[in-house]
């Protein structure tokens, strides 16, 4: 996963290591379905899923085809890494408070829930044979989304202090989205 390089000519689509993980999981579920060491497999899934997330994000960062507003926050982080003081980031035209509000406005809670619902359906489609695997994956995804949410909120707090700008949904909202989506399917 860590060695994947995407050429500029390749089309947007599912990365090979993601489908490889799905195939691995299907085979592992067949082999370990009733095994004594089933718990070890579930622990391994957590690490593998985290690696999938990290490397999908890495490939997206390196890709020319990633939408501009998806990595707005990475641009903020890049400015800080280049030596711009955190409290001065908001004075840069591409990363001012108005641009931050635009990015946040594109992701209201309703849209986030809709996106998560679509994501659940895709994951379910690939993992429908094994119910417990779906639960493990969904829980890991929830943890990763919450981690990213906290990271973005922290970044906003440090780089836009006193602005009062926050996401249009809370962690509690997100937990409810994950829960209601899982229960409705």
């Amino acid at each position: 996963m860590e060695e994947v390089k995407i050429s500029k000519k390749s089309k947007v689509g599912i990365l090979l290591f993601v489908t490889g993980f799905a195939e691995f999981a299907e085979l592992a579920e067949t082999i370990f379905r009733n095994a004594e060491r089933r718990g070890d497999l579930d622990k391994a899934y957590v690490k593998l899923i985290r690696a999938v997330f990290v490397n999908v994000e890495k490939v997206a960062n390196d890709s020319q085809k990633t939408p501009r507003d998806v990595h707005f926050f990475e641009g903020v982080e890049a400015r800080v890494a280049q030596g711009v003081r955190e409290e001065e980031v908001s004075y840069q035209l591409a990363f001012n408070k108005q641009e931050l509000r635009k990015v946040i406005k594109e992701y209201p809670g309703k849209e986030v829930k809709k996106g998560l619902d679509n994501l659940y359906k895709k994951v379910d489609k690939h993992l429908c044979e094994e119910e417990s695997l779906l639960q493990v994956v969904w829980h890991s995804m929830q943890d990763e989304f919450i981690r990213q949410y906290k990271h973005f909120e922290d970044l906003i707090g440090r780089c836009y202090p006193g602005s009062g700008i926050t996401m249009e949904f809370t962690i509690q909202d997100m937990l409810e989205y994950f829960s209601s989506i899982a229960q409705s399917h």
Side-chain angles (χ1 to χ4, degrees):
M1 286 185 255
E2 293 173 357
E3 297 172 6
V4 168
K5 299 282 186 229
I6 304 297
S7 74
K8 293 179 181 177
K9 295 178 182 178
S10 65
K11 295 182 177 183
V12 176
I14 296 175
L15 299 169
L16 288 176
F17 65 81
V18 174
T19 54
F21 171 74
E23 291 168 11
F24 165 79
E26 193 173 312
L27 180 61
E29 288 301 316
T30 302
I31 294 170
F32 290 94
R33 180 160 291 144
N34 297 317
E36 289 179 27
R37 299 193 62 189
R38 172 61 202 210
D40 292 338
L41 179 63
D42 289 339
K43 289 177 188 174
Y45 279 143
V46 172
K47 292 177 183 174
L48 286 169
I49 291 166
R50 187 162 288 125
V52 169
F53 269 103
V54 166
N55 288 292
V56 165
E57 201 168 301
K58 179 180 147 279
V59 169
N61 291 341
D62 296 342
S63 173
Q64 306 275 326
K65 298 177 182 181
T66 301
R68 184 198 76 79
D69 57 310
V70 175
H71 297 298
F72 176 86
F73 289 108
E74 289 171 359
V76 170
E77 291 173 329
R79 294 306 179 275
V80 172
Q82 293 166 357
V84 175
R85 290 183 24 206
E86 289 178 339
E87 59 276 5
E88 293 178 1
V89 170
S90 65
Y91 295 108
Q92 297 200 352
L93 188 60
F95 300 102
N96 64 27
K97 292 175 189 173
Q98 185 176 355
E99 291 299 313
L100 173 62
R101 283 187 185 100
K102 280 184 195 175
V103 169
I104 288 175
K105 195 170 216 62
E106 288 189 37
Y107 299 97
K110 185 173 109 176
E111 286 300 310
V112 170
K113 184 175 181 183
K114 183 174 156 186
L116 288 173
D117 191 51
N118 288 334
L119 186 60
Y120 185 93
K121 289 174 185 171
K122 287 178 185 174
V123 171
D124 184 38
K125 178 181 171 187
H126 291 286
L127 304 176
C128 63
E129 295 296 317
E130 182 55 51
E131 183 69 23
S132 67
L133 177 59
L134 178 60
Q135 292 170 358
V136 170
V137 170
W138 193 240
H139 184 72
S140 294
M141 293 172 80
Q142 176 180 300
D143 290 346
E144 180 61 20
F145 272 80
I146 289 171
R147 186 196 65 75
Q148 288 181 12
Y149 180 96
K150 287 178 179 177
H151 175 70
F152 293 149
E153 282 288 300
D154 179 60
L155 195 61
I156 291 169
R158 289 181 320 193
C159 295
Y160 302 87
S163 68
I165 300 173
T166 60
M167 302 285 198
E168 293 192 4
F169 55 94
T170 64
I171 289 178
Q172 187 58 43
D173 292 334
M174 201 175 346
L175 289 170
E176 289 173 16
Y177 301 157
F178 272 92
S179 178
S180 70
I181 289 168
Q183 290 174 6
S184 69
H185 290 281

